[in-house]
Short mmCIF file of all heavy atoms in Angstrom, two decimals:
data_model
loop_
_atom_site.label_atom_id
_atom_site.label_comp_id
_atom_site.label_asym_id
_atom_site.label_seq_id
_atom_site.Cartn_x
_atom_site.Cartn_y
_atom_site.Cartn_z
N SER A 266 -15.34 -16.76 14.64
CA SER A 266 -16.36 -15.71 14.52
C SER A 266 -17.69 -16.32 15.07
O SER A 266 -17.90 -17.53 14.97
CB SER A 266 -16.58 -15.27 13.08
OG SER A 266 -15.49 -14.59 12.58
N LYS A 267 -18.48 -15.41 15.63
CA LYS A 267 -19.76 -15.86 16.09
C LYS A 267 -20.84 -14.96 15.39
O LYS A 267 -20.70 -13.71 15.39
CB LYS A 267 -19.94 -15.73 17.60
CG LYS A 267 -19.15 -16.77 18.35
CD LYS A 267 -19.35 -16.77 19.87
CE LYS A 267 -18.52 -17.75 20.57
NZ LYS A 267 -19.07 -19.16 20.32
N VAL A 268 -21.85 -15.56 14.82
CA VAL A 268 -22.85 -14.87 14.03
C VAL A 268 -24.21 -15.23 14.62
O VAL A 268 -24.61 -16.38 14.58
CB VAL A 268 -22.85 -15.23 12.57
CG1 VAL A 268 -23.91 -14.40 11.80
CG2 VAL A 268 -21.44 -14.97 12.03
N ALA A 269 -24.88 -14.22 15.19
CA ALA A 269 -26.28 -14.42 15.77
C ALA A 269 -27.29 -14.14 14.68
O ALA A 269 -27.29 -13.09 14.11
CB ALA A 269 -26.48 -13.51 16.93
N VAL A 270 -28.15 -15.13 14.38
CA VAL A 270 -29.13 -15.01 13.37
C VAL A 270 -30.54 -15.27 13.80
O VAL A 270 -30.72 -16.02 14.77
CB VAL A 270 -28.78 -15.86 12.13
CG1 VAL A 270 -27.40 -15.62 11.60
CG2 VAL A 270 -28.86 -17.34 12.53
N TYR A 271 -31.53 -14.78 13.07
CA TYR A 271 -32.93 -15.23 13.27
C TYR A 271 -33.66 -15.09 11.96
O TYR A 271 -33.15 -14.29 11.07
CB TYR A 271 -33.56 -14.47 14.35
CG TYR A 271 -33.82 -13.01 14.09
CD1 TYR A 271 -35.01 -12.61 13.43
CD2 TYR A 271 -32.95 -12.01 14.43
CE1 TYR A 271 -35.33 -11.25 13.16
CE2 TYR A 271 -33.12 -10.64 14.15
CZ TYR A 271 -34.33 -10.27 13.56
OH TYR A 271 -34.51 -8.95 13.26
N SER A 272 -34.77 -15.78 11.78
CA SER A 272 -35.59 -15.72 10.52
C SER A 272 -36.85 -14.92 10.70
O SER A 272 -37.43 -14.90 11.78
CB SER A 272 -35.92 -17.18 10.13
OG SER A 272 -36.82 -17.13 8.97
N THR A 273 -37.15 -14.15 9.70
CA THR A 273 -38.35 -13.32 9.72
C THR A 273 -39.51 -14.20 9.22
O THR A 273 -40.70 -13.65 9.22
CB THR A 273 -38.20 -12.07 8.92
OG1 THR A 273 -37.93 -12.42 7.56
CG2 THR A 273 -37.14 -11.13 9.40
N ASN A 274 -39.27 -15.34 8.76
CA ASN A 274 -40.27 -16.25 8.24
C ASN A 274 -40.21 -17.52 9.07
O ASN A 274 -39.16 -18.29 9.04
CB ASN A 274 -40.02 -16.58 6.77
CG ASN A 274 -41.13 -17.35 6.17
OD1 ASN A 274 -41.84 -18.17 6.89
ND2 ASN A 274 -41.33 -17.25 4.88
N GLU A 275 -41.25 -17.86 9.85
CA GLU A 275 -41.17 -19.01 10.77
C GLU A 275 -41.04 -20.35 9.97
O GLU A 275 -40.62 -21.34 10.65
CB GLU A 275 -42.44 -19.04 11.60
CG GLU A 275 -43.74 -19.12 10.84
CD GLU A 275 -44.98 -19.08 11.70
OE1 GLU A 275 -44.87 -18.69 12.92
OE2 GLU A 275 -46.07 -19.46 11.27
N ARG A 276 -41.33 -20.32 8.74
CA ARG A 276 -41.17 -21.59 8.00
C ARG A 276 -39.71 -21.85 7.51
O ARG A 276 -39.40 -22.89 6.95
CB ARG A 276 -42.15 -21.58 6.81
CG ARG A 276 -43.55 -21.61 7.15
CD ARG A 276 -44.49 -21.57 5.92
NE ARG A 276 -44.31 -20.28 5.26
CZ ARG A 276 -44.94 -19.98 4.12
NH1 ARG A 276 -45.79 -20.83 3.55
NH2 ARG A 276 -44.82 -18.79 3.60
N ILE A 277 -38.88 -20.79 7.65
CA ILE A 277 -37.51 -20.95 7.25
C ILE A 277 -36.56 -21.10 8.45
O ILE A 277 -36.61 -20.25 9.41
CB ILE A 277 -37.05 -19.75 6.35
CG1 ILE A 277 -37.87 -19.73 5.04
CG2 ILE A 277 -35.58 -19.78 6.09
CD1 ILE A 277 -37.63 -18.60 4.18
N ASP A 278 -35.78 -22.12 8.47
CA ASP A 278 -34.79 -22.36 9.55
C ASP A 278 -33.56 -21.52 9.27
O ASP A 278 -32.87 -21.73 8.29
CB ASP A 278 -34.46 -23.82 9.55
CG ASP A 278 -33.37 -24.23 10.59
OD1 ASP A 278 -33.12 -23.39 11.50
OD2 ASP A 278 -32.76 -25.28 10.45
N ALA A 279 -33.27 -20.57 10.14
CA ALA A 279 -32.17 -19.63 9.89
C ALA A 279 -30.84 -20.37 9.95
O ALA A 279 -29.99 -20.20 9.03
CB ALA A 279 -32.13 -18.55 11.02
N ILE A 280 -30.61 -21.25 10.88
CA ILE A 280 -29.34 -21.99 10.96
C ILE A 280 -29.17 -22.95 9.80
O ILE A 280 -28.14 -22.90 9.18
CB ILE A 280 -29.34 -22.84 12.36
CG1 ILE A 280 -29.51 -21.91 13.50
CG2 ILE A 280 -27.97 -23.58 12.44
CD1 ILE A 280 -28.44 -20.86 13.80
N GLY A 281 -30.19 -23.68 9.47
CA GLY A 281 -30.08 -24.63 8.39
C GLY A 281 -29.86 -23.92 7.07
O GLY A 281 -29.06 -24.39 6.26
N SER A 282 -30.54 -22.76 6.85
CA SER A 282 -30.31 -22.02 5.57
C SER A 282 -28.91 -21.53 5.52
O SER A 282 -28.35 -21.49 4.37
CB SER A 282 -31.33 -20.83 5.53
OG SER A 282 -32.69 -21.30 5.51
N CYS A 283 -28.33 -21.10 6.57
CA CYS A 283 -26.95 -20.57 6.59
C CYS A 283 -25.95 -21.75 6.31
O CYS A 283 -24.93 -21.52 5.65
CB CYS A 283 -26.61 -19.95 7.87
SG CYS A 283 -27.48 -18.31 8.11
N ILE A 284 -26.27 -22.89 6.79
CA ILE A 284 -25.29 -24.03 6.64
C ILE A 284 -25.42 -24.56 5.25
O ILE A 284 -24.47 -24.91 4.57
CB ILE A 284 -25.55 -25.10 7.70
CG1 ILE A 284 -25.16 -24.56 9.06
CG2 ILE A 284 -24.73 -26.41 7.39
CD1 ILE A 284 -25.54 -25.47 10.26
N GLY A 285 -26.67 -24.71 4.79
CA GLY A 285 -26.93 -25.28 3.44
C GLY A 285 -26.92 -26.78 3.36
O GLY A 285 -26.50 -27.44 4.34
N GLU A 286 -27.38 -27.31 2.29
CA GLU A 286 -27.39 -28.76 2.14
C GLU A 286 -26.01 -29.33 2.10
O GLU A 286 -25.08 -28.96 1.42
CB GLU A 286 -28.07 -29.16 0.75
CG GLU A 286 -28.31 -30.62 0.64
CD GLU A 286 -29.08 -30.94 -0.66
OE1 GLU A 286 -29.48 -29.98 -1.36
OE2 GLU A 286 -29.26 -32.12 -0.96
N LYS A 287 -25.76 -30.27 3.03
CA LYS A 287 -24.45 -30.91 3.27
C LYS A 287 -23.33 -29.86 3.51
O LYS A 287 -22.21 -30.08 3.18
CB LYS A 287 -24.14 -31.82 2.11
CG LYS A 287 -25.12 -32.98 1.90
CD LYS A 287 -24.62 -33.80 0.70
CE LYS A 287 -25.67 -35.01 0.52
NZ LYS A 287 -25.25 -35.88 -0.59
N GLY A 288 -23.77 -28.72 4.12
CA GLY A 288 -22.78 -27.69 4.52
C GLY A 288 -22.24 -26.94 3.35
O GLY A 288 -21.13 -26.23 3.37
N SER A 289 -23.03 -26.94 2.21
CA SER A 289 -22.54 -26.28 0.94
C SER A 289 -22.41 -24.83 1.05
O SER A 289 -21.41 -24.19 0.48
CB SER A 289 -23.43 -26.63 -0.25
OG SER A 289 -24.80 -26.19 0.06
N ARG A 290 -23.33 -24.13 1.75
CA ARG A 290 -23.29 -22.70 1.88
C ARG A 290 -22.16 -22.14 2.85
O ARG A 290 -21.42 -21.34 2.45
CB ARG A 290 -24.62 -22.09 2.29
CG ARG A 290 -25.66 -22.27 1.23
CD ARG A 290 -27.07 -21.70 1.67
NE ARG A 290 -28.00 -21.60 0.59
CZ ARG A 290 -29.20 -21.21 0.80
NH1 ARG A 290 -29.67 -20.80 2.00
NH2 ARG A 290 -30.06 -21.09 -0.28
N ILE A 291 -22.14 -22.79 4.02
CA ILE A 291 -21.10 -22.33 4.91
C ILE A 291 -19.69 -22.70 4.45
O ILE A 291 -18.74 -22.00 4.72
CB ILE A 291 -21.39 -22.94 6.38
CG1 ILE A 291 -20.58 -22.21 7.43
CG2 ILE A 291 -21.05 -24.47 6.39
CD1 ILE A 291 -20.98 -20.86 7.61
N ALA A 292 -19.59 -23.72 3.59
CA ALA A 292 -18.27 -24.11 3.11
C ALA A 292 -17.72 -22.98 2.19
O ALA A 292 -16.50 -22.77 2.18
CB ALA A 292 -18.46 -25.40 2.27
N GLY A 293 -18.63 -22.36 1.41
CA GLY A 293 -18.17 -21.30 0.56
C GLY A 293 -17.67 -20.06 1.36
O GLY A 293 -16.70 -19.32 0.90
N ILE A 294 -18.19 -19.85 2.55
CA ILE A 294 -17.65 -18.83 3.46
C ILE A 294 -16.35 -19.22 4.14
O ILE A 294 -15.41 -18.40 4.14
CB ILE A 294 -18.81 -18.51 4.48
CG1 ILE A 294 -20.03 -17.96 3.80
CG2 ILE A 294 -18.21 -17.48 5.55
CD1 ILE A 294 -21.22 -17.77 4.77
N LEU A 295 -16.33 -20.45 4.63
CA LEU A 295 -15.16 -20.97 5.28
C LEU A 295 -13.94 -20.94 4.34
O LEU A 295 -12.83 -20.78 4.80
CB LEU A 295 -15.38 -22.37 5.85
CG LEU A 295 -16.39 -22.37 7.04
CD1 LEU A 295 -16.71 -23.83 7.43
CD2 LEU A 295 -15.89 -21.58 8.28
N LYS A 296 -14.16 -21.20 3.11
CA LYS A 296 -13.09 -21.24 2.11
C LYS A 296 -12.29 -19.95 2.09
O LYS A 296 -11.12 -19.99 1.77
CB LYS A 296 -13.71 -21.53 0.75
CG LYS A 296 -12.69 -21.75 -0.35
CD LYS A 296 -13.40 -22.00 -1.67
CE LYS A 296 -12.36 -22.13 -2.80
NZ LYS A 296 -13.03 -22.39 -4.12
N GLU A 297 -12.98 -18.85 2.38
CA GLU A 297 -12.33 -17.50 2.36
C GLU A 297 -11.56 -17.16 3.63
O GLU A 297 -10.84 -16.12 3.71
CB GLU A 297 -13.44 -16.45 2.21
CG GLU A 297 -13.97 -16.38 0.71
CD GLU A 297 -12.93 -15.77 -0.28
OE1 GLU A 297 -12.09 -15.00 0.21
OE2 GLU A 297 -13.01 -16.21 -1.44
N LEU A 298 -11.68 -18.03 4.68
CA LEU A 298 -11.30 -17.52 5.98
C LEU A 298 -10.07 -18.25 6.59
O LEU A 298 -9.70 -18.09 7.80
CB LEU A 298 -12.49 -17.78 6.97
CG LEU A 298 -13.70 -16.94 6.66
CD1 LEU A 298 -14.82 -17.20 7.68
CD2 LEU A 298 -13.40 -15.47 6.55
#
Side-chain angles (χ1 to χ4, degrees):
S266 289
K267 289 184 182 289
V268 181
V270 302
Y271 68 89
S272 175
T273 59
N274 186 334
E275 60 183 16
R276 293 177 296 179
I277 294 178
D278 174 19
I280 305 295
S282 295
C283 289
I284 293 173
E286 186 177 356
K287 296 181 180 180
S289 58
R290 288 179 169 181
I291 196 66
I294 296 171
L295 292 172
K296 184 180 177 182
E297 285 289 331
L298 299 179

